[in-house]
Amino acid sequence: MEECCSTMNGKGRKKSRQSIEQEGKLMFGMLHSLQSFVSKMSPVSVKDKFLSYKTNKYCLTMLEPPSGVKFVINTDVSSSGVQELVHTIYKQVYVEYITMNPIIEVGEEIKCELFRQKLDNLIKQSVIHSSKAE
């Protein structure tokens, strides 16, 4: 069973009537369905996992490294550099502060304050955050 280990709310995010757990279940269900659909409909073998989709309101970008942990970020449609940001989050924040930390169980809820601070700082310094401020 997949679980949401960490969430962050950005500026301008609407309040949801659902719990974080319910939102996570809906997100995982949608991602699983989309990945299945893409793999069945693609005319060529799909080696990479589903990466992103865009609507007229938002863009969802996902990275699923070999560990199986999914990194999902929702942005507005005008954001650029999101895939690079997600890769940076994985390499410079998750690997450094979660997988390399011997007292943290990978897959458990992330309660590491240093992880959250580094993630918040990285996002605030990113192109997607600075484009929101303009």
Side-chain angles (χ1 to χ4, degrees):
M1 178 179 182
E2 298 188 55
E3 293 182 27
C4 185
C5 295
S6 182
T7 61
M8 289 185 70
N9 294 330
K11 292 180 181 176
R13 184 178 188 273
K14 290 192 318 183
K15 289 281 186 189
S16 176
R17 289 181 244 170
Q18 300 171 337
S19 68
I20 294 292
E21 293 79 18
Q22 187 63 29
E23 282 185 10
K25 287 178 185 178
L26 291 171
M27 178 68 71
F28 289 127
M30 180 193 65
L31 291 172
H32 178 74
S33 296
L34 284 171
Q35 286 176 315
S36 177
F37 175 78
V38 167
S39 68
K40 289 178 182 169
M41 297 303 292
S42 177
V44 295
S45 177
V46 180
K47 293 179 184 173
D48 291 329
K49 297 287 185 172
F50 167 79
L51 291 177
S52 67
Y53 76 86
K54 187 182 282 191
T55 72
N56 61 344
K57 301 280 185 186
Y58 68 95
C59 180
L60 180 140
T61 305
M62 181 188 83
L63 169 67
E64 186 176 4
S67 66
V69 175
K70 291 179 176 73
F71 295 85
V72 180
I73 189 167
N74 285 314
T75 59
D76 63 42
V77 293
S78 63
S79 295
S80 61
V82 180
Q83 287 185 352
E84 293 82 9
L85 175 61
V86 176
H87 280 278
T88 303
I89 290 169
Y90 173 67
K91 291 177 184 174
Q92 292 181 8
V93 182
Y94 183 78
V95 169
E96 190 72 25
Y97 296 97
I98 301 303
T99 59
M100 303 292 267
N101 188 333
I103 61 172
I104 293 178
E105 283 289 323
V106 175
E108 295 293 319
E109 180 181 356
I110 298 172
K111 296 179 183 176
C112 176
E113 190 58 36
L114 186 57
F115 167 80
R116 290 186 182 278
Q117 288 173 357
K118 296 295 183 179
L119 180 58
D120 191 48
N121 289 341
L122 182 64
I123 290 172
K124 284 179 180 174
Q125 295 171 359
S126 73
V127 175
I128 66 168
H129 189 270
S130 61
S131 68
K132 286 287 243 188
E134 295 173 356

